[in-house]
Amino acid sequence: MTPVELSRTVLRAMRHAVDAGELCVDVPERVKVEPPRPGGCGDYATNLALRVARDAGRPPREVAELLSPWLAAEAGIAGVDITGPGFLNITLAGAPAEALVRDILRCGESYGHVRPDTGALAQLHTPHEVRAVVVADSARRILRSQGVLVRVTSDAAPDREWVDTLGVRVDAYGRPPEPLPTLRPVPAPADPLRLGRDAGRWALLHPAAHDHPRITPEQGGDEHLAQRETNPLFRVRYAHARSRALTRNAAALGFDSAPGPLQSPAPDEAASHELLGHLAAHPPVLAAAARDRAPDRLARHLVAIADGLLAYQHTVLPLGDEKPSAAHRARLALAEAAGTVLAGGLSLLGVSAPDYL
């Protein structure tokens, strides 16, 4: 990884931390990485935490501690140490892409999940409102992926149509004898059932809890049903379907996937690096979504992975008279890994991931 690539990696890790709500600060356009000064360690160091600490309203070392796990999760980073008042010292990995892809393909749709159960318990309570119940249902799935045992209760039994169409589940209902912390996202402005299960759940889960979901035709709610690239749900499901199509097309050409050096054409190195970064960030995104009961963070992360895969997909298969090579097999493995993460993430949102679209 060159210093320029590492600089982009550091900024991407910071964007992940900001998107996850752990930092409230503008991400700078550039960041300088350089060999560690005396007292430092690793291959490179950056003073990013010191630069943004004042605007973040936190001590530099605390900012560095928040950024460290996000940066450590990036492809190509073997480790991150904090020295002095808040310098981030970065050790690069030897062959991170291959290791990451192997890990995802080994774990399958459970990549980023915590096993075995941690023994932690969580209680989610909701009012009798469709969006709150859907958010709780997805938050339950995400929390279970992190090894947490979850019980969901509501003020009243969910409507039968919510169960049948949206697939929600509530363990018990009725007002609790003692007040419970309650999930209260901005209520749905209209009945989402007309959108069906996949689009209906996505319409309720993709916006942050404080944002108004678009449900009615007047609000542009029908966009959730449109099969075009302006629809984030379509892009995510289409990217998953494309990953499966690449596997079928490769089989027709007589080769399959095998993790290894990508050897992407020079113009496409940035696309592969960006996709790998999003895949490496998946476990901390799941952890943050579980901690904050925020399925919207996972939904937005899946959109980023899908966009990365769609930008990268054209490098996977041989072109013209080109013969399949080890590099093609490695690129196919990366595409399959991205499709696997998309399928697992959609499952946690309660949305299907068809192989054909």
Side-chain angles (χ1 to χ4, degrees):
M1 186 186 300
T2 67
V4 173
E5 292 170 337
L6 179 57
S7 176
R8 289 197 294 260
T9 298
V10 172
L11 289 177
R12 182 168 58 247
M14 183 176 179
R15 288 190 192 96
H16 289 319
V18 170
D19 290 344
E22 296 188 2
L23 277 176
C24 184
V25 66
D26 291 333
V27 179
E29 292 185 5
R30 347 186 142 70
V31 61
K32 184 177 182 181
V33 295
E34 56 187 3
R37 297 178 182 179
C41 58
D43 299 306
Y44 290 95
T46 176
N47 66 349
L48 176 63
L50 285 77
R51 282 181 56 191
V52 304
R54 180 186 295 274
D55 291 341
R58 297 172 182 247
R61 192 169 184 91
E62 184 177 327
V63 174
E65 288 170 352
L66 287 172
L67 292 175
S68 176
W70 291 98
L71 184 54
E74 289 285 336
I77 306 298
V80 179
D81 297 287
I82 302 171
T83 59
F87 290 99
L88 289 162
N89 294 254
I90 304 163
T91 301
L92 301 180
E98 181 177 346
L100 174 63
V101 171
R102 286 188 186 278
D103 188 35
I104 294 173
L105 296 179
R106 176 182 59 82
C107 296
E109 294 183 17
S110 295
Y111 168 65
H113 292 203
V114 175
R115 296 289 184 269
D117 286 348
T118 63
L121 303 174
Q123 168 83 52
L124 304 178
H125 187 77
T126 76
H128 182 66
E129 192 277 318
V130 63
R131 187 186 185 197
V133 173
V134 170
V135 168
D137 184 78
S138 185
R140 176 217 294 274
R141 298 167 190 246
I142 297 171
L143 281 160
R144 284 298 297 130
S145 80
Q146 300 304 293
V148 180
L149 297 174
V150 188
R151 187 169 186 262
V152 176
T153 59
S154 183
D155 285 347
D159 293 0
R160 173 51 56 185
E161 293 82 1
W162 302 356
V163 176
D164 293 342
T165 302
L166 299 176
V168 298
R169 170 186 154 200
V170 170
D171 298 310
Y173 53 87
R175 296 189 180 276
E178 297 181 5
L180 287 174
T182 302
L183 290 178
R184 295 187 183 276
V186 173
D191 189 343
L193 299 179
R194 67 181 190 85
L195 297 175
R197 177 167 180 168
D198 291 332
R201 288 185 70 106
W202 181 270
L204 298 174
L205 294 172
H206 181 250
H210 58 269
D211 290 333
H212 294 267
R214 294 181 295 110
I215 301 293
T216 66
E218 295 76 16
Q219 297 171 318
D222 288 348
E223 177 69 15
H224 298 300
L225 299 170
Q227 295 201 35
R228 52 175 174 256
E229 61 182 33
T230 54
N231 176 6
L233 173 59
F234 171 74
R235 294 207 304 278
V236 172
R237 299 173 85 214
Y238 177 66
H240 171 265
R242 282 298 303 150
S243 74
R244 301 303 181 240
L246 290 170
T247 299
R248 296 192 298 269
N249 294 339
L253 294 173
F255 75 100
D256 58 8
S257 65
L262 295 172
Q263 300 176 19
S264 296
D268 299 302
E269 288 180 1
S272 63
H273 186 71
E274 181 174 359
L275 178 56
L276 286 163
H278 290 315
L279 296 178
H282 187 65
V285 167
L286 282 183
R291 182 189 65 240
D292 297 330
R293 283 56 165 162
D296 59 285
R297 294 185 182 176
L298 173 58
R300 292 194 297 274
H301 179 61
L302 295 181
V303 175
I305 294 175
D307 289 344
L309 176 56
L310 293 174
Y312 180 72
Q313 60 167 332
H314 66 279
T315 70
V316 173
L317 299 178
L319 299 176
D321 295 333
E322 190 179 10
K323 301 297 183 183
S325 66
H328 290 110
R329 299 181 71 194
R331 294 172 205 158
L332 177 60
L334 173 55
E336 290 178 346
T340 297
V341 174
L342 290 174
L346 286 171
S347 176
L348 293 177
L349 297 178
V351 176
S352 67
D355 288 349
Y356 296 85
L357 198 62

